[in-house]
Amino acid sequence: SQQGEEDPQALSIQEGENATMNCSYKTSINNLQWYRQNSGRGLVHLILIRSNEREKHSGRLRVTLDTSKKSSSLLITASRAADTASYFCATVNSGYSTLTFGKGTMLLVSP
Amino acid sequence: DGGITQSPKYLFRKEGQNVTLSCEQNLNHDAMYWYRQDPGQGLRLIYYSQIVNDFQKGDIAEGYSVSREKKESFPLTVTSAQKNPTAFYLCASSDRDRGYEQYFGPGTRLTVT
């Protein structure tokens, strides 16, 4: 069964705008990760945030984690056409060693 | 796509035939994983292996089999018992010391007719 649920399912913005995607999960986690997938390709790891962290930055990416609400958000600032992809959150649940993926958010950035 | 290779990229098979998908990694990772991806479904875990000669079923193992005879290799066989084998298959590996951050291969698109 899938743990993470991303919201929205699809997002369309213009270059230069910010994109925010949200992820909710159900059980206690060890860490939460965000991945990106270009159409027909493998996934690429973007960022990992541990359960005791609240915010993390990597370049134009900002991830927040609220364990009390069991939710996370991924913010991409100053988006570019090359950011067009699907974005997935995945959780490592406490006591486990596998990832549970959500269904993803499809982001379209228009020039 | 990191240090993981999957072959072939596209595979076509007739119904009733078993087919084996290859996955090799040179990252020295202990853990390897197989996922299936269908449109709108995200990734679902088929099998995973934490160490050589050991593997566990994931959420949708029925109709699939794996082996882990070498650290670098984790082949997946899609058997004729799998009712809906047409899908995009992704292999990944991870390092426990990095929080199970996963490195993915480029995927194999299997079409069964």
Side-chain angles (χ1 to χ4, degrees), chain A:
Chain A
S1 60
Q2 289 175 304
Q3 154 110 300
E5 290 289 336
E6 289 92 340
D7 169 59
Q9 288 187 323
L11 181 60
S12 181
I13 60 175
Q14 300 289 319
E15 261 191 330
E17 294 180 339
N18 295 344
T20 300
M21 288 158 264
N22 303 296
C23 169
S24 59
Y25 58 91
K26 295 175 184 158
T27 62
S28 176
I29 63 170
N30 185 308
N31 67 62
L32 185 144
Q33 304 176 26
W34 285 90
Y35 289 81
R36 165 199 169 121
Q37 183 182 35
N38 288 81
S39 182
R41 306 288 297 274
L43 278 69
V44 174
H45 182 266
L46 295 176
I47 199 164
L48 179 155
I49 187 165
R50 299 187 189 281
S51 60
N52 61 354
E53 297 176 310
R54 291 297 166 257
E55 188 170 313
K56 214 161 179 184
H57 296 256
S58 176
R60 293 185 295 113
L61 305 181
R62 174 179 163 244
V63 168
T64 61
L65 179 65
D66 186 336
T67 53
S68 66
K69 294 181 179 177
K70 292 187 169 57
S71 67
S72 172
S73 67
L74 170 68
L75 169 67
I76 304 174
T77 59
S79 61
R80 306 165 182 167
D83 293 328
T84 294
S86 291
Y87 292 82
F88 294 88
C89 71
T91 54
V92 177
N93 300 339
S94 298
Y96 289 85
S97 59
T98 58
L99 286 180
T100 304
F101 284 84
K103 295 185 179 181
T105 291
M106 210 179 309
L107 173 66
L108 173 63
V109 182
S110 302

Side-chain angles (χ1 to χ4, degrees), chain B residues 32-105:
Chain B
M32 295 187 75
Y33 310 80
W34 273 106
Y35 296 91
R36 171 184 172 132
Q37 187 176 30
D38 296 284
Q41 291 290 321
L43 274 69
R44 291 184 288 170
L45 183 64
I46 304 172
Y47 267 99
Y48 65 103
S49 168
Q50 302 281 50
I51 198 167
V52 174
N53 292 322
D54 189 42
F55 48 82
Q56 287 78 41
K57 293 181 180 180
D59 298 320
I60 55 164
E62 186 176 346
Y64 300 97
S65 66
V66 293
S67 62
R68 186 87 187 276
E69 297 176 1
K70 298 187 299 182
K71 187 175 187 177
E72 303 79 19
S73 179
F74 191 40
L76 172 75
T77 297
V78 184
T79 75
S80 56
Q82 168 50 234
K83 292 182 172 53
N84 296 299
T86 294
F88 189 47
Y89 291 88
L90 287 159
C91 178
S93 69
S94 72
D95 182 345
R96 171 176 37 197
D97 293 338
R98 292 176 60 89
Y100 297 105
E101 167 190 331
Q102 294 195 358
Y103 293 77
F104 283 82

